[in-house]
Amino acid sequence: MRIFVTGATGFIGSATVRELLGAGHQVLGLVRSDANAAALAATGATVVRGSLEDLDGLRRGAEAADAVIHTAFIHNNFADFATSCAVDQRAISAIGDVLAGSHRPFAIASGTPAVRGGVATERDIGDRSNPVSALRAPAEDLVLALADRGVRTSSVRLPRCVHGTGEQGWRGGIATHLIQLALEKRVAAYIGDGAQRWPAVHRLDAARLFRLAIEQAPAGTRVHAVGDEGVAMRDLAAAIGRRLGVPVASKSADEVQAHFGVFGAIVGTDQPASSALTRELLGWQPAGTGLIADLEANVP
């Protein structure tokens, strides 16, 4: 297939491009800068210049492709997260309008949900009372609704800790932010008893799931890119402390905002997730190193 990939030089997108090329697909990759265009061209993919705000460019990319994978998101605008989500939803709508009636595959990156008192499955919508979820979840609703318009859509739900070593070194999603905080404050912290659990996945496993979703997933499918079902926050903090040589400490509810800032509401949530249904549906089996072992082996 000829597959149009947004975010083609991002942490997850670049791994997805290589996965697709390695499986014999052709790739059209959306990039903004000259440097990213050169890096993408070096992989053998075709460069499409544009951005998420360039709706005409997105439409052209979708028109030229047999399938679309949408991994791009404006992550550097956390202060105005609502605007980033609105841009994302307009991009999905523009691509969806092009694909409508074609039965071509369209997979987007979304997030594993948090459910109260349990492990989230692919069937769960999650708690949308959380301000971040309330803003982010409508993108998944948009793409899955396109199944009724003749598009073979799927939502690839990623955990907040997608980890691995990429072109710019090791990264681990929220784990990266905790490492940065530990370096800044000279303590690796967790909240309360640290029992909050977060799912995680290696970036190469996530990339393989995007490929399988495009190749096999039925229309309107949710899949979970989950390798570690739930890594306890205290265990992650302990690994960071060992790696950086800093003490490990618990923070009370009153100290969360001062230490974690805008990430306090996220890191304090218990949000384990399962990928059992995904493995059964697509035959996906994560093979990458788990989050803690990957961190301990690769964080400088």
Side-chain angles (χ1 to χ4, degrees):
M1 282 189 285
R2 190 171 167 86
I3 303 172
F4 177 46
V5 180
T6 71
T9 56
F11 184 61
I12 298 167
S14 61
T16 301
V17 166
R18 288 183 171 83
E19 172 70 26
L20 295 171
L21 292 171
H25 296 292
Q26 296 177 301
V27 174
L28 307 171
L30 184 73
V31 296
R32 290 180 297 173
S33 70
D34 291 342
N36 285 344
L40 181 64
T43 69
T46 299
V47 173
V48 177
R49 297 299 291 264
S51 69
L52 288 186
E53 292 94 339
D54 176 13
L55 300 184
D56 287 338
L58 293 174
R59 294 185 186 103
R60 287 193 297 271
E63 286 168 354
D66 302 311
V68 177
I69 294 177
H70 175 50
T71 68
F73 190 80
I74 303 174
H75 291 285
N76 59 353
N77 195 23
F78 196 87
D80 194 3
F81 188 65
T83 297
S84 295
C85 291
V87 169
D88 184 54
Q89 290 163 33
R90 287 193 292 269
I92 290 170
S93 295
I95 294 169
D97 287 343
V98 171
L99 300 180
S102 69
H103 299 284
R104 284 179 279 176
F106 181 20
I108 70 162
S110 60
T112 53
V115 298
R116 295 182 186 276
V119 177
T121 76
E122 295 85 341
R123 295 192 180 100
D124 289 312
I125 300 300
D127 178 11
R128 296 194 178 183
S129 63
N130 180 294
V132 174
S133 298
L135 289 170
R136 194 75 173 99
E140 180 177 89
D141 297 339
L142 271 175
V143 77
L144 295 183
L146 288 167
D148 294 331
R149 296 177 60 195
V151 186
R152 186 160 63 82
T153 54
S154 56
S155 174
V156 179
R157 289 170 159 181
L158 301 167
R160 299 194 190 279
C161 295
V162 179
H163 59 92
T165 302
E167 290 73 12
Q168 297 180 347
W170 190 88
R171 290 169 60 182
I174 289 295
T176 300
H177 294 291
L178 295 183
I179 290 169
Q180 292 169 343
L181 279 174
L183 286 169
E184 174 189 339
K185 299 177 180 288
R186 305 310 301 169
V187 61
Y190 57 89
I191 298 172
D193 64 2
Q196 303 89 346
R197 296 161 295 170
W198 307 334
V201 70
H202 195 281
R203 69 191 287 257
L204 300 183
D205 288 325
R208 190 166 68 260
L209 185 55
F210 273 108
R211 175 178 63 80
L212 291 173
I214 285 295
E215 293 174 345
Q216 303 177 30
T221 300
R222 300 182 185 91
V223 294
H224 279 190
V226 172
D228 291 320
E229 183 174 291
V231 178
M233 188 180 185
R234 61 174 173 265
D235 294 337
L236 182 55
I240 291 171
R242 287 193 300 270
R243 192 65 188 164
L244 302 183
V246 299
V248 180
S250 170
K251 297 295 179 181
S252 68
D254 293 338
E255 297 173 305
V256 168
Q257 181 62 34
H259 185 87
F260 295 101
V262 294
F263 297 105
I266 298 172
V267 299
T269 303
D270 185 49
Q271 49 186 286
S274 166
S275 58
L277 297 177
T278 298
R279 300 182 195 210
E280 180 180 352
L281 176 67
L282 300 179
W284 176 74
Q285 290 294 331
T289 307
L291 173 60
I292 288 180
D294 194 27
L295 182 158
E296 292 185 321
N298 294 296
V299 171

